Amino acid sequence: MASRCWRWWGWSAWPRTRPPPAGSTPSFRHHLSTQEKTPQICVVGSGPAGFYTAQHLLKQHPQAHVDIYEKQPVPFGLVRFGVAPDHPEVKNVINTFTQTAHSGRCAFWGNVEVGRDVTVPELREAYHAVVLSYGAEDHRALEIPGEELPGVCSARAFVGWYNGLPENRELEPDLSYDTAVILGQGNVALDVARILLTPPEHLERTDITKAALGVLRQSRVKTVWLVGRRGPLQVAFTIKELREMIQLPGARPILDPADFLGLQDKIKEVPRPRKRLTELLLRTATEKPGPEEAARRASASRAWGLRFFRSPQQVLPSPDGRRAAGVRLAVTRLEGVGEATRAVPTGDMEDLPCGLVLSSVGYKSRPVDPSVPFDSKLGVIPNVEGRVMDVPGLYCSGWVKRGPTGVIATTMTDSFLTGQMLLQDLKAGLLPSGPRPGYAAIQALLSSRGVRPVSFSDWEKLDAEEVARGQGTGKPREKLVDPQEMLRLLGH
């Protein structure tokens, strides 16, 4: 699997996804103006968007030097902190990112928060170009009464908790109730449901954190509902995740056949991936399982279900008002066709009792620095093909560029496009001329502010420590979750 992933995600990936970018011809390599000889470029964020942008720039320009800044002491962003622990194959892209970081023209600087430890104007002063690739660090609020009650948390924080994201390490979700409700029907919602319902012995060989595994061993959650405003044709998860959920050991699906009436005719017109997904839902909801599957479902002690045509109106408090005890849902119906289909309330209401509410209605980017334009409604930096509007020499890639959608492959293509635009501007003489100091200037600033950056070789020491800690318990690694402990281990 790793070798296949290497070929797909690796250095040779871009020719199969788009024609060679403008500026990659031999003339580009041999007719370099003074300013192009050693362009100093910095990338903010070390997730897939940051690393793919760096990879493209290094590959397409033989002299470019790229510094990657990251606020965590460790690299890889959502590959480390977002991908589910039971999906290790998705993390194989780390091999490619490590290859990029090992380039003599690339440097990783962790434990540096742009906007706090160093500003974007300071970076722009030190580099010929700056690329913002810091992702979506927040979640979309539900904006309903009761959202602030104990027992309600974002799916993003829950994912961060079981994946060892330092800011979520003290989450302590209360899993002492038998029912959990997840508001949302995307892949993150399915990930969270699957982790809640997977037998802990199936997770103990993954890189899930020790603390999360301990809490999940004590969990009393038996039923998980995934609630969506629209219908089966509008779910946002993919067939791979759905299939995994249907076959989850010790759990059975609950789907209401009434939700699927008339769908057989509608799915004839939809694109093939959506058609296959809907057909699988339809079969699961309406067909009688074979003897083996029927026996498996009958013996299952846990269950998960999809509640369609329901829109959350309020988180209901317990009688003493101290915590969440349910969700009030407005029953909806669909209006419009195709992508324009929207859910409108029918006037009916329904209460769904539960002890845990997880909101999974999307991730959201934050503004990084007052000097950078930001569209707070869309949660993105306004840009044209990655060029930040009205700020020459400033670029963006990944979720902060296009919103929190798509998979790692989407981000790869998107990041290559931003890299291509930057190189076009460099060739056209649109970036600052003359040498720029790059990291030397930033290092002096950070040092004066008492900030100790973490290098990629520092990360490799932490990586070795995690792997060593995991070996004792048969895990691929035991993640370090406390930044202070990481810095202590490095002697910082």
Side-chain angles (χ1 to χ4, degrees):
M1 180 67 199
S3 63
R4 275 214 314 277
C5 270
W6 177 265
R7 287 198 298 276
W8 170 242
W9 298 108
W11 289 94
S12 60
W14 69 260
R16 290 198 284 275
T17 57
R18 58 173 68 253
S24 64
T25 58
S27 63
F28 177 72
R29 294 175 183 273
H30 299 302
H31 298 92
L32 298 168
S33 69
T34 314
Q35 129 218 18
E36 285 180 288
K37 278 183 184 159
T38 50
Q40 297 282 340
I41 302 163
C42 98
V43 171
V44 178
S46 70
F51 264 107
Y52 281 129
T53 303
Q55 176 188 313
H56 191 76
L57 294 168
L58 294 167
K59 182 173 182 186
Q60 296 307 314
H61 194 299
Q63 272 82 38
H65 184 95
V66 181
D67 288 322
I68 302 173
Y69 291 94
E70 168 59 57
K71 77 170 187 173
Q72 301 292 346
V74 295
F76 311 132
L78 273 189
V79 179
R80 178 178 168 97
F81 297 123
V83 174
D86 56 347
H87 285 173
E89 71 287 350
V90 181
K91 301 183 192 191
N92 286 334
V93 293
I94 285 174
N95 298 333
T96 309
F97 300 161
T98 299
Q99 179 94 347
T100 300
H102 283 162
S103 159
R105 295 183 288 119
C106 184
F108 166 83
W109 302 110
N111 196 40
V112 177
E113 186 169 348
V114 172
R116 186 193 67 184
D117 301 330
V118 60
T119 67
V120 172
E122 286 166 341
L123 291 174
R124 292 182 63 215
E125 196 66 34
Y127 291 89
H128 291 102
V130 174
V131 187
L132 301 172
S133 307
Y134 61 85
E137 300 178 296
D138 212 342
H139 68 280
R140 293 195 180 281
L142 292 167
E143 296 177 350
I144 59 172
E147 185 174 9
E148 70 299 329
L149 286 167
V152 181
C153 89
S154 72
R156 188 193 192 286
F158 191 79
V159 169
W161 168 72
Y162 65 63
N163 273 331
L165 183 60
E167 69 197 55
N168 299 130
R169 70 185 187 276
E170 289 165 6
L171 188 68
E172 296 182 353
D174 185 351
L175 307 185
S176 64
Y177 298 85
D178 64 1
T179 303
V181 167
I182 302 171
L183 301 170
Q185 294 183 335
N187 277 342
V188 174
L190 276 196
D191 275 351
V192 168
R194 196 178 66 254
I195 296 297
L196 280 170
L197 296 175
T198 296
E201 59 273 18
H202 290 242
L203 293 172
E204 59 194 17
R205 300 288 183 205
T206 73
D207 68 1
I208 193 167
T209 65
K210 188 176 178 180
L213 190 57
V215 172
L216 288 164
R217 283 192 204 283
Q218 305 298 316
S219 170
R220 293 187 188 165
V221 176
K222 293 282 181 267
T223 307
V224 177
W225 291 106
L226 296 102
V227 176
R229 287 176 300 119
R230 298 189 293 170
L233 269 177
Q234 288 82 32
V235 293
F237 48 74
T238 49
I239 193 164
K240 177 184 176 286
E241 276 70 20
L242 174 63
R243 198 176 282 122
E244 211 175 352
M245 204 68 203
I246 291 168
Q247 295 162 356
L248 190 65
R252 63 190 173 84
I254 309 169
L255 297 174
D256 183 352
D259 288 335
F260 295 84
L261 291 172
L263 264 197
Q264 199 72 58
D265 298 328
K266 288 181 188 168
I267 54 179
K268 289 171 187 164
E269 287 94 58
V270 299
R272 188 165 179 268
R274 171 70 65 187
K275 186 179 181 204
R276 288 176 59 232
L277 173 66
T278 314
E279 283 172 343
L280 178 55
L281 278 171
L282 194 59
R283 283 199 303 277
T284 309
T286 59
E287 289 182 10
K288 196 177 172 188
E292 199 177 315
E293 178 62 8
R296 188 189 78 79
R297 290 186 193 179
S299 67
S301 60
R302 297 177 176 191
W304 62 275
L306 296 168
R307 296 291 276 265
F308 297 109
F309 311 111
R310 301 288 185 274
S311 175
Q313 302 302 297
Q314 181 188 351
V315 177
L316 300 169
S318 56
D320 62 7
R322 290 193 176 171
R323 56 166 298 109
V327 185
R328 179 155 293 159
L329 304 167
V331 180
T332 63
R333 60 184 168 77
L334 296 184
E335 279 187 1
V337 289
E339 290 302 308
T341 306
R342 51 192 201 95
V344 295
T346 61
D348 292 337
M349 292 283 177
E350 181 181 286
D351 291 350
L352 185 53
C354 64
L356 177 67
V357 180
L358 292 152
S359 91
S360 184
V361 293
Y363 287 22
K364 190 169 116 184
S365 296
R366 296 176 187 156
V368 69
D369 190 290
S371 69
V372 179
F374 191 78
D375 183 330
S376 52
K377 190 164 182 273
L378 295 176
V380 296
I381 294 170
N383 69 91
V384 178
E385 294 187 313
R387 296 179 175 102
V388 176
M389 309 269 276
D390 306 322
V391 193
L394 189 62
Y395 302 83
C396 55
S397 67
W399 282 4
V400 77
K401 168 186 174 183
R402 68 176 196 277
T405 57
V407 292
I408 293 175
T410 330
T411 295
M412 177 179 71
T413 310
D414 166 85
S415 302
F416 288 176
L417 179 63
T418 291
Q420 180 180 330
M421 295 302 124
L422 190 159
L423 293 173
Q424 279 180 11
D425 292 350
L426 182 66
K427 193 183 177 202
L430 299 175
L431 297 184
S433 58
R436 288 277 164 130
Y439 181 64
I442 302 305
Q443 185 180 27
L445 282 175
L446 294 173
S447 179
S448 72
R449 292 166 190 172
V451 179
R452 295 282 299 271
V454 170
S455 68
F456 201 78
S457 60
D458 286 336
W459 148 246
E460 291 182 316
K461 289 173 195 158
L462 297 176
D463 180 39
E465 174 68 20
E466 290 188 344
V467 171
R469 290 186 183 191
Q471 275 170 347
T473 53
K475 297 175 72 174
R477 69 177 61 241
E478 186 57 63
K479 284 181 181 173
L480 297 161
V481 298
D482 180 356
Q484 294 310 315
E485 185 188 4
M486 296 181 202
L487 297 176
R488 265 199 313 277
L489 285 166
L490 295 171
H492 279 211

